[in-house]
Amino acid sequence: MPAHADPLGFDSASFRGLDLLRFTYTTDAETVAQILPAELEIDDEPTANFVFASYRFSTAGAFREVVQSVEVRFEGQPFSYVPHIFVPNERAMLAGREREGLPKLTAAIDFDIHAPSPDGLISAELRRPTQVLLAQGIFQPAELVATVSPEQPLPPSPPMLGLRVFGGAVPGRPPAVRELVPSRMEFRTAEIWSGAGSLNLTGASDLSPLHLVPIVGPVDAVLLRDVDAVLHRATTTYPI
């Protein structure tokens, strides 16, 4: 970012009116290990998450996002490592990449739970470039199962973990910065809806290899609707 003209202009990030469709599945340890830093540990049958999100208002503006993550351990502590994440928004991309170490790329994301649906289904798609479908999710809402509030918070989940890398300016030299950066999203209010879900990772592009976190087990889905959230940034980082 320009050192003399920070395009972000905020220290913390808050979100209002967030809708989030999360798919959880078992993935293949040997395949996933190809794209993880060697310092991270995974189970023999790792759990992965794939999230479509729509932010109606936030510190970084209104935008959509897709996040793929894998449950890992670092120095014995649980984290959710993010190998792939996409946004169509410049401020969200800059904040995620330069601050949190999240490898954000721009992409076309179609996800709107408020759009009319004659079949009652919620669909979501990720494309990069716009002609190439990388992922598609479908959700059939069943029932409202919980409401999140300060009095009824969600159980704590593992922090996100990004890999923040700045390559050396001189060819052949090691990166100037290589560190793991933890951050955590706190959901302060939300509706939680259960339902049936279907997720397809097309494998259409080796340049955006979502298929390196393959689906090998059952897919569970949940919808978080009308979320108010805040991102808690790192208080420490882990040079590796």
Side-chain angles (χ1 to χ4, degrees):
M1 297 187 293
H4 65 284
D6 182 353
L8 298 178
F10 61 87
D11 290 328
S12 61
S14 297
F15 309 92
R16 297 292 181 269
L18 162 63
D19 300 314
L20 184 153
L21 178 57
R22 182 178 66 204
F23 298 92
T24 301
Y25 61 93
T26 301
T27 189
D28 179 72
E30 185 175 350
T31 306
V32 169
Q34 301 176 53
I35 59 173
L36 296 183
E39 293 82 359
L40 302 182
E41 299 177 357
I42 53 175
D43 293 335
D44 293 337
E45 297 182 341
T47 297
N49 293 285
F50 199 93
V51 173
F52 294 91
S54 175
Y55 302 87
R56 278 177 277 164
F57 186 81
S58 81
T59 312
F63 64 99
R64 293 171 181 165
E65 186 171 51
V66 169
V67 186
Q68 187 180 52
S69 62
V70 182
E71 302 302 312
V72 303
R73 291 179 305 280
F74 175 67
E75 296 184 345
Q77 299 300 311
F79 291 94
S80 186
Y81 179 75
V82 179
H84 300 118
I85 181 169
F86 303 88
V87 291
N89 173 293
E90 181 186 80
R91 293 184 85 203
M93 182 181 73
L94 289 172
R97 291 180 66 155
E98 301 212 15
R99 290 181 173 183
E100 317 305 334
L102 299 173
K104 293 192 175 185
L105 296 172
T106 56
I109 301 168
D110 181 15
F111 174 54
D112 182 4
I113 72 169
H114 304 283
S117 174
D119 48 22
L121 301 176
I122 295 171
S123 63
E125 292 185 349
L126 168 69
R127 296 175 180 271
R128 177 182 162 88
T130 55
Q131 302 89 347
V132 178
L133 179 65
L134 299 181
Q136 182 179 56
I138 303 173
F139 181 72
Q140 185 176 56
E143 62 177 320
L144 176 65
V145 294
T147 300
V148 177
S149 68
E151 295 74 30
Q152 295 178 300
L154 279 175
S157 57
M160 292 187 297
L161 197 62
L163 177 62
R164 188 169 178 262
V165 177
F166 286 86
V170 178
R173 292 188 180 178
V177 174
R178 188 173 185 267
E179 61 183 1
L180 294 169
V181 183
S183 58
R184 182 175 62 87
M185 185 78 87
E186 177 189 357
F187 298 113
R188 294 182 169 174
T189 64
E191 293 180 358
I192 303 178
W193 290 76
S194 67
S198 172
L199 177 65
N200 178 35
L201 306 179
T202 67
S205 173
D206 287 331
L207 302 180
S208 299
L210 301 171
H211 54 281
L212 292 183
V213 190
I215 301 169
V216 298
V219 175
D220 294 323
V222 65
L223 176 71
L224 277 69
R225 177 183 176 275
D226 203 18
V227 177
D228 286 351
V230 62
L231 178 69
H232 296 282
R233 297 181 60 198
T235 57
T236 187
T237 62
Y238 308 105
I240 58 174

